[in-house]
Amino acid sequence: MAQQKAALSFELVAKCSVTRARASTMVLPHGPVELPMFMPVATQASLKGLTPEQLESLGCRLCLNNTYHLGLKPGQATLDAVGGAHRLQSWNHNILTDSGGFQMVSLLKLAKITEEGVRFLSPHDGSPMLLTPEHSMSLQNSIGSDIMMQLDDVIATTSPDKERMVEAMHRSVRWLDRCIEAHKYPEKQNLFCIIQGGLDLDLRRECVKEMVKRDTPGIAIGGLSGGEEKAKYCAVVRTCTEMLPDMKPRYVMGVGYPEDLVVSVALGADMFDCVWPTRTARFGNAVTSRGTLNLRHASYAADFSPVDENCGCPCCRSKEDGGLGVTKAYVHHLTGKETAGAHILTMHNVYYLLDLMRNARKAIIAGTYPSFVKEFFGKIYKYDK
Ligand code: GUN
Ligand code: ZN
């Protein structure tokens, strides 16, 4: 198999001697990023409730956009005219785009998958549309994302249809070949493959072998986080990471609960994304070192402590420390009525997850990841009380 060009460099900084956790640095076209990392999701070239400057101020250097959404609006002609998604959203840091198929299948019940691609009805005017691997790559080339994802055939892990799961795995490999063929700028944009195969470990192993042969600059593990048991999720991530080359970044798609990030890092994963932390913020939920708190609850009405005492985000930091000194009582007062409540919690939640991964990285480098994991779970489940 031909050597693929890469538009990234990857350096391993440290490895945990007990778990499979790694600390690394990946240099992308729009600058270096430190792994492990959480990538917030800015579906429509915007992280709901935050300006690009605010996202930057939290330390985010890589966020997600969606090919499906940007391909519909503003559309390929506008993306070409403005010169890509970085310019569109005034974001000079890195962007990763998901390929679009997963969003269609999860959002549109009527999507139909054939060997050609994903057929669906336009949510705008109901007209029939087709997303092929070639079209997804063309759109992602117009977006100009630093990391592009292959179009893949994703089946819910909970599906009982074994035959369909096998077909989806093999089709994802064939679609990767078509994506590699159609990619116009491999020297400027990195194409990542996505390992499929459901919860069947042999199917996953077969997929890893095929994907690794294609030598993409980075590797994703897909098809997870669909309600499967945690033990099965862990077995899949571990089976894949065991077989993956050390010197490439590993991205587990759709994972965003703090507990899952900490465990998945221990299993050897480097990158994660999820809409949950930003979506849940809009329902009044604060993700904190003591678990998730719903600040709509009446018990917070007169609680004048910060959203999280241990948080260094611009909202939780005190006025004396140059922050806003936001209290739980203030967010309680705002949430559900004033959009500022959602903005504050979005900022806090994104910072919390970025910082959780920054601290995990520090612990891996210091050789203390096992005690980091213990302390993290101790606080979340209050074993220390
Ligand atoms: N987002 C979460 N899981 C997946 C997956 O398996 N494939 C793609 N393309 N996106 C995802
Ligand atoms: Zn905070």
Side-chain angles (χ1 to χ4, degrees):
M1 204 71 58
Q3 181 85 20
Q4 298 300 311
K5 285 188 191 140
L8 65 77
S9 66
F10 181 80
E11 185 199 352
L12 266 183
V13 177
K15 274 168 122 178
C16 174
S17 59
V18 180
T19 71
R20 304 177 62 86
R22 305 128 49 93
S24 60
T25 303
M26 172 167 67
V27 183
L28 291 167
H30 287 81
V33 292
E34 297 192 327
L35 309 182
M37 79 165 341
F38 171 76
M39 305 177 285
V41 183
T43 304
Q44 309 270 10
S46 150
L47 204 128
K48 287 186 179 62
L50 297 193
T51 65
E53 290 77 12
Q54 286 174 321
L55 187 56
E56 183 180 41
S57 77
L58 303 178
C60 176
R61 295 294 176 264
L62 173 54
C63 72
L64 245 84
N65 284 177
N66 272 312
T67 304
Y68 163 71
H69 295 87
L70 295 188
L72 284 173
K73 203 166 140 306
Q76 192 161 20
T78 304
L79 287 164
D80 285 337
V82 73
H86 294 84
R87 294 230 179 103
L88 177 73
Q89 62 204 297
S90 297
W91 175 253
N92 283 328
H93 304 294
N94 297 290
I95 295 175
L96 181 152
T97 37
D98 199 358
S99 49
F102 176 78
Q103 285 70 35
M104 266 187 283
V105 176
S106 59
L107 295 176
L108 308 169
K109 297 267 177 301
L110 294 177
K112 270 215 162 50
I113 299 167
T114 66
E115 192 60 27
E116 224 183 336
V118 186
R119 281 189 189 283
F120 62 105
L121 300 178
S122 161
H124 289 326
D125 58 11
S127 59
M129 299 180 74
L130 171 68
L131 185 73
T132 61
E134 292 77 16
H135 188 211
S136 175
M137 294 306 285
S138 169
L139 286 169
Q140 294 186 77
N141 280 149
S142 291
I143 288 169
S145 40
D146 302 274
I147 298 176
M148 316 153 76
M149 302 309 298
Q150 74 156 108
L151 190 69
D152 53 345
D153 188 358
V154 193
I155 308 298
T157 44
T158 46
S159 163
D161 191 344
K162 171 84 205 277
E163 217 174 290
R164 178 70 187 92
M165 195 64 89
V166 174
E167 178 189 53
M169 185 283 267
H170 288 292
R171 179 172 288 145
S172 295
V173 177
R174 291 192 295 274
W175 282 3
L176 174 62
D177 285 333
R178 285 168 59 185
C179 286
I180 291 173
E181 188 70 28
H183 184 8
K184 286 204 284 283
Y185 311 118
E187 69 293 346
K188 286 199 302 198
Q189 293 178 265
N190 299 288
L191 170 62
F192 280 26
C193 64
I194 307 175
I195 297 162
Q196 295 294 346
L199 299 176
D200 183 324
L201 300 184
D202 283 333
L203 206 52
R204 286 278 178 178
R205 286 190 193 99
E206 198 183 339
C207 193
V208 172
K209 275 193 206 141
E210 288 304 317
M211 293 300 187
V212 167
K213 272 193 228 164
R214 270 81 179 164
D215 194 29
T216 53
I219 295 164
I221 304 171
L224 289 172
S225 217
E228 66 278 350
E229 287 166 39
K230 293 281 182 222
K232 291 192 171 157
Y233 164 87
C234 289
V236 169
V237 174
R238 193 195 147 132
T239 299
C240 294
T241 57
E242 262 171 6
M243 290 176 67
L244 290 175
D246 252 359
M247 292 312 293
K248 286 189 180 180
R250 305 154 175 182
Y251 164 27
V252 182
M253 308 188 80
V255 171
Y257 294 137
E259 298 93 315
D260 293 349
L261 297 191
V262 169
V263 169
S264 303
V265 166
L267 295 173
D270 308 312
M271 302 161 67
F272 311 93
D273 80 284
C274 191
V275 294
W276 174 75
T278 40
R279 183 174 290 161
T280 206
R282 302 197 289 278
F283 292 95
N285 290 312
V287 187
T288 80
S289 55
R290 306 252 162 206
T292 300
L293 314 176
N294 191 312
L295 298 183
R296 288 188 179 170
H297 198 273
S299 60
Y300 297 109
D303 185 336
F304 303 110
S305 63
V307 174
D308 185 350
E309 298 78 25
N310 301 314
C311 180
C313 90
C315 303
C316 292
R317 261 198 334 265
S318 66
K319 287 267 191 206
E320 299 80 67
D321 270 347
L324 296 170
V326 170
T327 62
K328 293 189 183 84
Y330 183 48
V331 177
H332 172 83
H333 166 73
L334 293 173
T335 192
K337 290 177 293 199
E338 299 290 336
T339 53
H343 300 175
I344 288 167
L345 285 184
T346 301
M347 204 161 198
H348 164 82
N349 287 357
V350 169
Y351 182 93
Y352 174 80
L353 286 176
L354 291 173
D355 209 46
L356 179 67
M357 291 293 96
R358 285 192 285 255
N359 289 331
R361 188 174 194 274
K362 278 186 207 148
I364 297 165
I365 293 171
T368 56
Y369 195 63
S371 52
F372 173 90
V373 175
K374 220 168 146 189
E375 200 177 310
F376 167 83
F377 279 101
K379 273 195 197 145
I380 274 223
Y381 295 117
K382 302 195 177 76
Y383 290 153
D384 56 343
K385 287 238 168 105

